[in-house]
Amino acid sequence: MMRTHGFACLVAFSLAVDAQAENPIIQTRFTADPAPLVHDGTVYLYTSHDEDDARGFVMRDWRLYTSKDMVNWTDHGAVASLATFPWARQDNDAWAPQVVERGKKFYLYVPISVEGWPKNVIAVAVADKPEGPFKDALGHPLIAKASYNIDPTVFVDDDGQAYLYWGNPEPYYVKLNKDMISYSGEVTKAGPKLTNYQEGPWFYKRKGKYYLAYASTCCSEGIGYAMSDSPTGPWKQMNPLMEPNKASSGNHPGIIDFKGNSYVFGFNYQLNFAETPIHRERRSVTVAKFDYNADGSIPTQPWWNREGVKQLGTLDPFKRVEAETIAWTTAIQGGWDHTIDWAPCLKTEKDEKVGVYVTDVRGTCSIKVAGVDFAKGASSFTASVASGSQGGTLELHLDRADGPLIGSMKIANTGGWQAWREETMQVTGASGVHDLFLIFKGGRDEPLFNVDYWRFAKAEKK
Ligand code: FUB
């Protein structure tokens, strides 16, 4: 989290590298119901999405963020939406998703609703790549209407049998067929009853043991989990994985192992409460690292912290970096001595031509990219930009928003918001590993300029 600091602190701490991420990990949108998938050295984090003006649940699409280091997250925009399922209700109810991989295809399971009571169904869409686009696999629900049909989670066991669990206020399961879009046998209630089960199951296997983690003990929700020696139970309820917290009515686990570490994702309402004291369904995905006990059980974890998790490795700035790769973004209001925890100052949009880009940047606005390895040095910085306004200034600082300035350039009107062109500035003083802050400066009345991607050039060897 950005702290209040003045220039005295700037001198004292200018060499500090804060490679810690911040929780919540996405600040450009309200996100919930995290569903991480590890594929090819990358975490693909699928989320549901609370609209900016939501009071209760207002949810219309599912979004994807990726990271190789657990700290810098790249926005891939919406990978599916209610329009993917034209036979479903179109104005709301795009709830908790999960994507699993099988046979080089990626299957997205989602709860949505249809006309009439009960309204909840589970649908499946398929894609050739984890980034989508996901297409409706059936043209109708996979799991027919029932009041308990929310929050699907799918796991493919070592013997090839896939299981779909889901449900509120009790978990149900079916065995999926190999095609992943049909099932065999009856819908069955999992048991024996898990007394603290609420919703949001997350089903997986680790070291021969099966786990069913879930949002527990409504409301406030913590995270509970159960273990079993078999994929269909009987389930043994374990200690709470995370106790509920009054600051958050909801929670929703997604659990992975990645690069030798174990992580649990969930959500809190921190960004909502940065904007208003009123509780609204404007949630934000969080992450914590944890360690299993030797017997496979999980010690109770503290509530989501503000610091997030440690970065795994560094980011290479000499390759193209999407501008929507962000460890933290916030408006900087009232000058450097009055930086604040979080206020929105930019958006991301997706476009057929250039993909996702940073847009609608206003005022003084920062993007932190954590743990950037400038190696022996960088000589210049090039960004693809577009502006339909008077433009603004882009400054690059190391370590903090008010850390050493390594370069600055004015971005003028390029002829329109999609009139992209590369602009280059010389940089000095960037070598070794630093957090990089892209600082946008200009007025608040109109957007400054869009940025699609950036990269540094290596300094010539002397
Ligand atoms: O996001 C909508 C619903 O809220 C989810 O489906 C539940 O798990 C809870 O997080």
Side-chain angles (χ1 to χ4, degrees), residues 89-397:
R89 179 180 170 183
Q90 292 295 296
D91 62 340
N92 205 346
D93 297 345
W95 283 17
Q98 188 177 356
V99 171
V100 293
E101 180 183 3
R102 181 169 198 162
K104 298 199 174 141
K105 291 213 179 286
F106 296 83
Y107 297 89
L108 167 73
Y109 299 85
V110 292
I112 47 181
S113 69
V114 291
E115 291 304 317
W117 180 259
K119 60 175 190 165
N120 299 334
V121 301
I122 289 171
V124 57
V126 63
D128 294 328
K129 294 180 297 179
E131 298 89 354
F134 286 89
K135 299 213 167 81
D136 185 11
L138 294 170
H140 57 80
L142 168 63
I143 303 292
K145 288 162 79 160
S147 61
Y148 52 80
N149 281 347
I150 66 166
D151 297 353
T153 176
V154 170
F155 170 70
V156 186
D157 208 347
D158 303 331
D159 62 2
Q161 178 63 59
Y163 300 86
L164 168 67
Y165 273 80
W166 74 97
N168 168 321
E170 291 195 68
Y172 294 79
Y173 70 89
V174 287
K175 290 183 176 178
L176 290 177
N177 295 330
K178 279 202 179 116
D179 63 10
M180 301 295 278
I181 59 170
S182 63
Y183 64 89
S184 299
E186 296 294 308
V187 170
T188 306
K189 194 186 277 192
K193 190 174 169 65
L194 302 167
T195 55
N196 67 350
Y197 179 92
Q198 181 65 27
E199 58 186 3
W202 184 260
F203 179 44
Y204 66 103
K205 184 184 191 181
R206 188 176 185 276
K207 297 192 175 171
K209 296 184 189 302
Y210 295 89
Y211 294 79
L212 193 65
Y214 46 84
S216 62
T217 332
C218 185
C219 297
S220 309
E221 285 178 338
I223 297 176
Y225 78 104
M227 292 178 70
S228 178
D229 293 326
S230 143
T232 53
W235 291 101
K236 182 180 174 209
Q237 186 169 316
M238 307 296 284
N239 57 283
L241 200 162
M242 182 179 282
E243 299 281 6
N245 185 295
K246 274 189 292 194
S248 182
S249 62
N251 217 329
H252 188 114
I255 297 175
I256 52 166
D257 281 355
F258 180 61
K259 296 186 177 171
N261 298 315
S262 299
Y263 297 98
V264 55
F265 293 77
F267 64 73
N268 67 18
Y269 289 74
Q270 186 183 319
L271 300 191
N272 172 72
F273 290 128
E275 288 194 316
T276 169
I278 301 165
H279 173 100
R280 291 175 174 146
E281 295 300 347
R282 300 179 193 175
R283 298 163 291 174
S284 299
V285 166
T286 48
V287 66
K289 179 179 170 304
F290 71 96
D291 294 309
Y292 289 85
N293 294 319
D295 65 356
S297 61
I298 305 173
T300 301
Q301 301 299 307
W303 186 250
W304 309 114
N305 66 21
R306 300 285 288 266
E307 293 78 30
V309 297
K310 282 210 169 75
Q311 185 174 6
L312 305 176
T314 53
L315 183 134
D316 181 356
F318 302 115
K319 290 184 179 151
R320 169 177 165 145
V321 178
E322 297 303 320
E324 60 277 10
T325 299
I326 297 172
W328 190 262
T329 174
T330 183
I332 297 172
Q333 296 176 339
W336 301 123
D337 289 336
H338 187 59
T339 53
I340 54 169
D341 278 353
W342 177 79
C345 59
L346 57 79
K347 293 193 167 106
T348 58
E349 291 296 341
K350 195 172 182 175
D351 170 86
E352 288 281 308
K353 207 165 132 216
V354 300
V356 178
Y357 57 94
V358 167
T359 190
D360 203 9
V361 187
R362 291 168 193 262
T364 305
C365 181
S366 69
I367 290 178
K368 172 184 168 182
V369 184
V372 176
D373 188 357
F374 293 100
K376 291 186 178 149
S379 59
S380 66
F381 169 93
T382 298
S384 176
V385 297
S387 177
S389 70
Q390 81 294 345
T393 301
L394 179 60
E395 291 182 359
L396 304 178
H397 293 255

Side-chain angles (χ1 to χ4, degrees), residues 13-92:
F13 297 117
S14 62
L15 294 177
V17 175
D18 170 16
Q20 290 280 106
E22 280 91 347
N23 263 330
I25 59 176
I26 309 298
Q27 306 90 41
T28 46
R29 274 189 176 75
F30 296 108
T31 53
D33 306 325
L37 167 74
V38 176
H39 170 73
D40 209 10
T42 298
V43 179
Y44 289 79
L45 175 65
Y46 301 88
T47 72
S48 60
H49 167 210
D50 295 326
E51 294 292 334
D52 285 356
D53 59 356
R55 289 172 184 270
F57 291 134
V58 185
M59 306 171 71
R60 302 191 182 110
D61 56 20
W62 297 277
R63 311 197 72 94
L64 171 63
Y65 303 86
T66 60
S67 180
K68 289 184 192 302
D69 63 15
M70 294 299 293
V71 167
N72 295 306
W73 290 93
T74 304
D75 188 338
H76 294 260
V79 292
S81 72
L82 291 169
T84 307
F85 307 100
W87 43 268
R89 179 180 170 183
Q90 292 295 296
D91 62 340
N92 205 346

